Amino acid sequence: MTTVITGGSRGIGAAAVELFAKRGDRVFFLYEKEHEAARAVAEKTGARAICCDVADAQGVKAAFSQIGDVDILVNNAGICYYGLMSQMAESQWDRIFDVNVKGIFNCVNAATPSFLQKQRGCIINVASMWGRTGASCEAAYSATKGAVIALTKALAKELGPSGIRVNAVAPGVILTDMCANVDPEILAELAEEAPLGRNGSAMDVAKAMEYLADAQFVTGHILNVDGGYVI
């Protein structure tokens, strides 16, 4: 089984690389800038790292040409911006959409020929609970993740007749580098609002991805991994 994971050098992506490699998959992961982190993940897991900006269509095609046959695609690469939308530069808005949405477009298009040849395949996108509810001062991020949710459902309908399943995870507050600059008091308040009373780990999300990878009669589903924050 060949699994490709984008944004695999840190956080949720790195946990997914570790989990899918541990279960015996042949794992490739894409990363953009963090060479040392990528090298560490590759050495730890035996996965192969490929430097690639998912927003660059030609770069993605070149990366997938190195991989060959694909069984599972995990679209995890994502960036965020925290601040008032009125203070965002247009270039910042465009970059978030290029990575978080266009990146999925590029990777799905690169993997689909392999899926179609076999008439089977699995795509797992990473959305967010903010794509369901919206978040103040995260307008662009929320908008991209809402787009990911809609795209997941549309692709499930479009690709299902070809045996390709498309699902997404919608993480809540996950304690990764993305939360590094969030006030600890705010993180504690968010944990209290979740019925399970805690924030999540990267491995919590990776295990949800593993479930979707194996759930052969599940498609078009958005799986909340948020401790019950959104019910």
Side-chain angles (χ1 to χ4, degrees):
M1 192 76 70
T2 297
T3 296
V4 179
I5 299 167
T6 69
S9 61
R10 289 188 181 276
I12 292 170
V17 170
E18 178 181 351
L19 185 61
F20 280 88
K22 187 174 292 184
R23 74 182 206 154
D25 288 15
R26 174 175 170 257
V27 179
F28 295 81
F29 69 94
L30 308 186
Y31 75 99
E32 185 187 0
K33 297 176 181 177
E34 298 178 325
H35 301 291
E36 291 301 320
R39 186 176 298 112
V41 171
E43 291 176 354
K44 178 181 180 180
T45 64
R48 180 178 170 187
I50 300 176
C51 186
C52 173
D53 178 1
V54 296
D56 176 6
Q58 294 305 313
V60 169
K61 288 179 182 178
F64 275 78
S65 70
Q66 298 179 51
I67 296 167
D69 187 59
V70 180
D71 297 291
I72 300 168
L73 170 62
V74 179
N75 288 304
N76 168 73
I79 57 175
C80 66
Y81 171 91
Y82 186 81
L84 296 174
M85 191 177 77
S86 60
Q87 296 178 352
M88 281 188 78
E90 182 180 354
S91 59
Q92 292 173 311
W93 177 275
D94 289 344
R95 179 61 180 166
I96 290 176
F97 271 86
D98 281 349
V99 173
N100 294 8
V101 184
K102 185 180 177 183
I104 294 178
F105 170 85
N106 289 335
C107 291
V108 168
N109 281 342
T112 296
S114 178
F115 294 153
L116 292 175
Q117 186 174 15
K118 296 176 294 187
Q119 290 290 287
R120 61 179 173 81
C122 173
I123 299 169
I124 302 169
N125 298 323
V126 178
S128 168
M129 70 178 185
W130 302 132
R132 292 186 183 275
T133 67
S136 175
C137 294
E138 293 191 68
Y141 181 79
S142 299
T144 63
K145 294 306 183 177
V148 171
I149 288 171
L151 178 60
T152 297
K153 294 179 179 181
L155 285 177
K157 294 177 179 179
E158 184 173 315
L159 299 176
S162 298
I164 303 166
R165 296 183 301 110
V166 189
N167 295 289
V169 291
V173 180
I174 307 299
L175 299 177
T176 65
D177 291 349
M178 197 173 279
C179 292
N181 296 321
V182 179
D183 188 316
E185 290 187 5
I186 294 177
L187 290 175
E189 290 172 2
L190 289 167
E192 288 178 3
E193 291 182 39
L196 291 184
R198 69 173 177 90
N199 294 319
S201 70
M203 192 55 72
D204 287 328
V205 183
K207 288 180 178 177
M209 292 174 177
E210 183 181 34
Y211 162 74
L212 291 174
D214 294 334
Q216 296 299 315
F217 199 53
V218 177
T219 196
H221 184 68
I222 314 301
L223 177 57
N224 291 348
V225 191
D226 60 8
Y229 193 96
V230 178
I231 295 179

